Amino acid sequence: MATLLPPPKRIKLTHGTAQLPEKNSEPVQPAPVVVVQFVSEDDGKSLGPAVNLPADLTRDALETLVNTLEGSLEEPVPFAFHVPLPQPTLASDQRPDANAPTRLAVMVNILEDILRHPLSTYTTEDIITIHCTPQSVFRVRPATRCSSTLTGHSSPILCASFSPTGRLLATGSGDMTARLWNLDSETPSHTLTGHKGWVLCVEWEGRERMLATGGHDGQVRLWEPIKGVAIGDALKGHSKWVTSLAWEPIHINPTSPRFASSSKDCTVRVWSTKTRRTEYVLGGHTASVNVVRWGGAGKGVLYTASSDRCIRVWDADGGKLLHTLKDHAHWVTTLALSTDFVLRTGPFDHLGKKSTTDEEAQALALERYKSVTTGHPEVLISGSDDHTLYLWNLFPSNHVDVSEDKGGKQKPVARLLGHQSQVSHVAFSPDGRWAASAGWDRSIRIWEGRTGKYVATLRGHIAPVYRLTWSADSRMLIWSLKTHKLHTDLPGHMDEVYCVDFVADKIVSGGRDSAVKIWKH
């Protein structure tokens, strides 16, 4: 007869819950205590005395502590934290590594992100200086899906731009038309016909009253966006195609802002919307003018970049040449201002304020402009086919004095190296703290917007990157600025994507497949 094994021991139940046998847990090692000095990223000043903290204190607790030091606990401000890495000492014949990280972000806590990081040289004996960067109080939700595919264009879409309020979208195409789309209903609104060549650029006036389009036919046209009709005949003057458009900022001229157009014919024309005539022509470039930007310093500044390897800076009030910048060794193809976002959106912000008079719109636009330039003036970044970028600070006090002698050579703040091929596009974040550049080397590089220091490289594209755009809260490029990794991949286009724009929580893209896609959370 076989021996029967006794049944398994019955597990005791305590209040209906099984009481499992206790496991021998290892004793938890206490986290080391470190000395931390918080400093402001804006001005480099300390936010308070150095404090002793456990190294495993969470990032949210650090944010609460900084708000306590700032006295803003009732209305807390979100912060981003980073610790700069010490730069290695190089021999005279060595060049710095363009891909070497210059900072460590605090994502979890100081222990995991700083003390245990393989590149960190910090120990518990050091005073760790943490730089605090205030973030926007609102947060844009990341786009995760395609909400609409809008068809109508019969040729590749070459340009796309949201209106300042984000309610309308304008696109230009190789089918010689521009189209307006209603983003509330995500449906077509109007088709703008009149150009006799490809529509190469579209640009909104800062109060959304007019839309300007420039074409391969050398003509510039103005449109009334609500009715979708042309405002008068085409504005003629350029002998070759129009490459770029820029409107006068609302805080300078809220009533009837002028606009500038650059062309392959080596000139820039400044047009009056009152008289519909050219006010003056900016000559001097000896090759195609690829980009024009209208800055907000003083009474307005025009920046032009050309294939003659020069950047020229003009007084917008009278067209006088202020500076000629000749540091690039090849065509200058892209420009960006740290104030681009507030100049483009004028008096409109995330709170949805509406202005009823010109004076009110001017005051709101000026307030938004000063919020970005207080303590840090308007700066310029130029990108070129020589694989480099330059950061310029031409008006440190935001005051433009046309009477000064500008004979001396202007020196850039920094030369931004790292791209292995032509730079196709550069853009500042809305708060002006960051800049991102896209290149034909299939990478995107992030830089500090005020110093030009390298921050990170974003890789993932398998073809040249033509265009990039920032979210309104300066936290995303579809890539996460927090982790420097891809946030969401958005597949769907059947061919190359030529243009992209970001407003609120919507992204629009267009390209060679002639379809406009809208992406949202």
Side-chain angles (χ1 to χ4, degrees), residues 18 39 52 118 162 171 198 244 254 299 316 401 486 492-493:
V39 300
N52 294 335
F162 282 114
T171 56
W198 303 342
S244 178
K299 294 184 179 180
D401 189 354
L486 183 65
H493 280 286

Side-chain angles (χ1 to χ4, degrees), residues 251-271:
H251 73 267
I252 296 175
N253 185 353
T255 307
S256 55
R258 301 168 294 171
F259 68 96
S261 60
S262 62
S263 172
K264 175 74 173 176
D265 65 7
C266 314
T267 67
V268 174
R269 288 178 173 266
V270 175
W271 306 84

Side-chain angles (χ1 to χ4, degrees), residues 149-456:
T149 299
L150 306 177
T151 58
H153 284 297
S154 57
S155 291
I157 297 169
L158 306 176
C159 51
S161 178
F162 282 114
S163 66
T165 61
R167 296 187 299 106
L168 296 172
L169 168 70
T171 56
S173 169
D175 61 7
M176 299 186 290
T177 67
R179 283 178 178 260
L180 293 174
W181 313 84
N182 186 321
L183 290 182
D184 294 331
S185 58
E186 299 185 3
T187 55
S189 177
H190 298 95
T191 301
L192 312 179
T193 59
H195 281 287
K196 300 175 182 178
W198 303 342
V199 180
L200 301 176
C201 45
V202 293
E203 198 71 30
W204 289 90
E205 184 255 351
R207 292 180 65 188
E208 205 175 282
R209 296 172 296 185
M210 287 179 284
L211 173 72
T213 59
H216 200 271
D217 53 6
Q219 298 178 358
V220 179
R221 289 180 174 269
L222 294 177
W223 311 87
E224 202 281 324
I226 303 301
K227 299 178 181 178
V229 296
I231 303 175
D233 295 330
L235 306 178
K236 300 177 181 179
H238 288 296
S239 58
K240 292 186 178 180
W241 60 88
V242 179
T243 57
S244 178
L245 296 168
W247 283 91
E248 187 174 16
I250 294 299
H251 73 267
I252 296 175
N253 185 353
T255 307
S256 55
R258 301 168 294 171
F259 68 96
S261 60
S262 62
S263 172
K264 175 74 173 176
D265 65 7
C266 314
T267 67
V268 174
R269 288 178 173 266
V270 175
W271 306 84
S272 168
T273 53
K274 276 185 177 179
T275 62
R276 298 180 51 78
R277 294 180 180 274
T278 303
E279 284 201 355
Y280 53 84
V281 181
L282 303 177
H285 286 293
T286 57
S288 170
V289 183
N290 300 317
V291 193
V292 59
R293 285 281 184 271
W294 202 312
K299 294 184 179 180
V301 181
L302 283 165
Y303 304 87
T304 59
S306 169
S307 294
D308 62 6
R309 302 175 294 176
C310 292
I311 302 164
R312 291 178 180 263
V313 185
W314 317 79
D315 171 37
D317 197 30
K320 180 181 178 179
L321 179 65
L322 301 178
H323 302 288
T324 301
L325 314 176
K326 300 181 178 181
D327 289 69
H328 281 292
H330 211 293
W331 302 343
V332 186
T333 55
T334 178
L335 294 176
L337 291 169
S338 58
T339 55
D340 272 342
F341 182 78
V342 293
L343 295 180
R344 170 186 173 183
T345 52
F348 303 106
D349 61 7
H350 66 283
L351 299 176
K353 295 179 183 177
K354 292 185 178 180
S355 54
T356 54
T357 64
D358 293 341
E359 292 75 15
E360 187 180 354
Q362 185 175 23
L364 288 172
L366 183 60
E367 180 185 354
R368 298 188 67 217
Y369 180 78
K370 287 183 175 179
S371 68
V372 177
T373 56
T374 301
H376 297 278
E378 183 178 82
V379 294
L380 172 77
I381 280 188
S382 57
S384 167
D385 280 6
D386 63 6
H387 309 180
T388 68
L389 302 104
Y390 281 99
L391 176 66
W392 309 88
N393 185 0
L394 302 175
F395 307 104
S397 62
N398 267 341
H399 173 67
V400 181
D401 189 354
V402 297
S403 64
E404 291 182 14
D405 180 17
K406 301 298 187 298
K409 183 178 184 298
Q410 292 293 320
K411 293 184 178 180
V413 175
R415 188 185 188 201
L416 284 53
L417 301 172
H419 280 290
Q420 305 300 310
S421 190
Q422 299 100 311
V423 178
S424 56
H425 190 222
V426 62
F428 273 96
S429 62
D431 59 9
R433 297 177 187 277
W434 311 100
S437 58
W440 288 70
D441 57 1
R442 300 173 291 180
S443 72
I444 299 169
R445 287 178 176 262
I446 308 296
W447 317 85
E448 288 185 14
R450 290 160 183 169
T451 63
K453 290 182 179 179
Y454 167 79
V455 176

